[in-house]
Amino acid sequence: MSFQDLGLSESIVHGVQCMGYVDPTPIQLRSFPLILGGKDFIGSAQTGTGKTAAFGLPILSKLGSHKEGRPRCLILEPTRELAAQVETAFRDFCRFNDLRTVALYGGVGYGPQKTDLQKGVDVIVATPGRLLDFMEQKVVDLSQIDFLVLDEVDRMLDMGFIPDVRRIVGQCRQEGRQSLLFTATLPPEIERLASFVLKDPETIEIGGRRSPAETVTHAFYPISVSQKYDLLQALLDRTNYDSVLVFARTKFGADKIAARLEEMKHSVTVLHSNRTQRERLDALEGFKSGKYEVMVATDLAARGIDVQGVSHVINFDVPLHPEDYVHRIGRTGRAQSTGDAFTLVTAEEQKAVESIERFIGQKVPRLKLDDFPYRYTALFSTSPAAKRPARKLGVRRRK
Ligand code: AMP
């Protein structure tokens, strides 16, 4: 099946072809007929599966061309980065028609966003806080919203955004609206939100909610706390990488790792929520363009952020929530390419590691790096997988 045969509008198909997409991904094949047929649904797709296009292409096809008046499509995202990324993708998809889009998020001035709104837009991609500000200022009116997408709702729940989301949805047109909700998990709060937002929804699940992307090879590296930086350095030295995303649990930890990597002469940037919006954008753009080979980030960056060509993810700390493990390592191996993910594991993190393995339903190999001066060999005494050579997981010595 090619994009031409799926009922999308001609200008959108043209836009997609220009982006170099040839075949639709499985979630796209599932979602296009549902959206074009006017169904509401709850979707859970693995990261990097082409989710943005899965909802973006049919919605833009249905919107047709620019109409004077109020916005007709609203997409809510949990973070500024995701809002900016999704809006950029939308702009790319509709480069051959005159639909207008705007991204509304905090941390930057109100002026340009307000001007865009006043000029008239068809699609708003927003974080809840900034959108509510504009609603209070009466700059935006949601009474003509035909398409509503709540993306990464489980993350919005973690961030305490659900009451804001309800307030926003309450201001949207209720009759005749089509709504979609994306989430990896379905706790009771999200089920209640879903029954408030969606009408008679279907559930579509692609690739299982819990499994890491199949294109990622991953491994745990047991280590003592005192040798974590040395092991990180050794992994970087021995890995033939293009770009590496290093995850830390805290903002302070991320800054510290970045400082250490800088001392080791790596070109490195940091992404976390204590940085200004300008710094966050610079970090992402610099990492995408190759100016920085390493980006150290907190889980803020784990969800949905699409950086082409991340060859490796290194978890300096084991994430506390097992879902975050899947999201973090999903930053590599996106859309058909392959990637490696390494996690440094200390004795104190054993419980978190076990809950990750329970969550994903598979054992992750424990590996030992050849020729690394381990101080505590007891770390490996119970793991037969430790004997496997690291090379199998894509660790290659630099030439
Ligand atoms: P997403 O899951 O929406 O973040 O998309 C992940 C990556 O896959 C992005 O870089 C998209 O540009 C890319 N992508 C989405 N759909 C396709 C497709 N049908 N063919 C090739 N790449 C795609």
Side-chain angles (χ1 to χ4, degrees):
M1 277 277 200
S2 74
F3 283 100
Q4 281 105 317
D5 309 321
L6 295 166
L8 303 172
S9 75
E10 225 172 273
S11 64
I12 293 299
V13 171
H14 196 180
V16 164
Q17 284 166 338
C18 275
M19 291 175 77
Y21 296 6
V22 179
D23 299 314
T25 64
I27 189 177
Q28 290 161 6
L29 286 172
R30 278 296 301 283
S31 67
F32 291 170
L34 289 176
I35 298 176
L36 294 170
K39 278 296 290 172
D40 285 8
F41 69 74
I42 301 176
S44 79
Q46 289 182 45
T47 54
T49 50
K51 185 175 53 159
T52 314
F55 63 79
L57 303 180
I59 289 179
L60 291 167
S61 293
K62 286 178 101 175
L63 287 172
S65 53
H66 174 64
K67 279 208 182 83
E68 289 301 323
R70 297 170 194 151
R72 293 178 288 148
C73 170
L74 171 64
I75 294 149
L76 288 182
E77 296 287 344
T79 65
R80 301 162 184 179
E81 282 77 10
L82 269 173
Q85 179 179 300
V86 168
E87 197 258 343
T88 305
F90 267 53
R91 241 185 298 138
D92 285 336
F93 298 147
C94 55
R95 69 179 83 175
F96 295 109
N97 64 35
D98 60 352
L99 287 166
R100 295 189 200 161
T101 63
V102 67
L104 308 178
Y105 51 81
V108 291
Y110 285 80
Q113 296 178 358
K114 192 170 175 178
T115 310
D116 281 349
L117 283 172
Q118 284 166 336
K119 276 194 213 148
V121 294
D122 302 285
V123 178
I124 294 178
V125 187
T127 54
R130 178 56 66 101
L131 178 62
L132 279 168
D133 288 350
F134 280 124
M135 286 162 66
E136 273 155 26
Q137 294 170 25
K138 307 236 179 298
V139 183
V140 65
D141 176 342
L142 302 178
S143 61
Q144 302 298 316
I145 293 294
D146 293 326
F147 302 98
L148 173 68
V149 180
L150 306 182
D151 197 14
E152 306 271 343
V153 175
D154 41 351
R155 173 43 49 122
M156 296 211 239
L157 174 69
D158 290 347
M159 295 169 88
F161 288 167
I162 300 299
D164 287 351
V165 172
R166 280 178 170 265
R167 275 177 63 201
I168 292 167
V169 176
Q171 297 295 309
C172 291
R173 159 190 189 156
Q174 302 300 321
E175 282 307 309
R177 186 190 74 214
Q178 187 175 8
S179 311
L180 315 173
L181 186 153
F182 290 91
T183 181
T185 55
L186 210 55
E189 297 92 325
I190 297 184
E191 278 198 51
R192 282 197 295 275
L193 178 72
S195 56
F196 169 61
V197 177
L198 307 166
K199 288 198 189 75
D200 190 20
E202 285 202 20
T203 303
I204 64 173
E205 199 174 314
I206 304 287
R209 282 184 187 161
R210 300 182 153 201
S211 48
E214 280 153 17
T215 46
V216 180
T217 320
H218 50 142
F220 290 158
Y221 284 83
I223 192 68
S224 60
V225 175
S226 61
Q227 284 197 294
K228 276 180 117 178
Y229 287 108
D230 296 336
L231 185 63
L232 174 63
Q233 171 69 11
L235 280 169
L236 287 173
D237 281 349
R238 295 170 192 214
T239 304
N240 210 348
Y241 56 80
D242 303 317
S243 57
V244 186
L245 193 47
V246 176
F247 280 104
R249 202 179 290 154
T250 64
K251 300 167 199 172
F252 176 72
D255 285 335
K256 220 166 125 191
I257 295 165
R260 288 292 287 261
L261 291 176
E262 237 160 38
E263 278 169 25
M264 298 166 189
K265 305 283 174 248
H266 291 284
S267 63
V268 55
T269 186
V270 195
L271 184 71
H272 59 60
S273 57
N274 271 10
R275 307 202 79 204
T276 65
Q277 186 58 20
R278 188 66 258 155
E279 288 170 332
R280 283 160 68 164
L281 282 176
D282 283 347
L284 259 180
E285 277 162 20
F287 188 56
K288 282 183 184 173
S289 70
K291 180 173 159 201
Y292 305 112
E293 55 184 14
V294 182
M295 180 160 81
V296 188
T298 55
D299 282 299
L300 171 82
R303 293 277 176 137
I305 294 298
D306 181 29
V307 185
Q308 295 290 335
V310 173
S311 58
H312 293 77
V313 166
I314 301 181
N315 292 316
F316 190 81
D317 304 304
V318 177
L320 284 181
H321 304 293
E323 313 86 271
D324 285 335
Y325 179 77
V326 177
H327 285 288
R328 284 183 180 191
I329 74 170
R331 299 307 89 217
T332 180
R334 290 174 73 74
Q336 279 105 42
S337 58
T338 52
D340 290 350
F342 312 136
T343 302
L344 275 51
V345 176
T346 62
E348 294 73 31
E349 291 171 317
Q350 273 316 311
K351 281 225 156 9
V353 158
E354 284 160 20
S355 69
I356 288 171
E357 290 185 320
R358 265 197 310 277
F359 183 79
I360 62 177
Q362 53 179 266
K363 272 276 188 214
V364 179
R366 271 73 168 161
L367 298 185
K368 186 175 177 186
L369 214 55
D370 289 343
D371 305 328
F372 181 79
Y374 284 99
R375 266 184 234 135
Y376 302 101
T377 44
L379 291 164
F380 302 96
S381 55
T382 56
S383 173
K387 296 199 175 67
R388 282 172 51 180
R391 216 175 311 114
K392 285 210 171 115
L393 279 143
V395 180
R396 297 170 287 264
R397 284 175 193 283
R398 276 183 153 175
K399 285 167 221 118

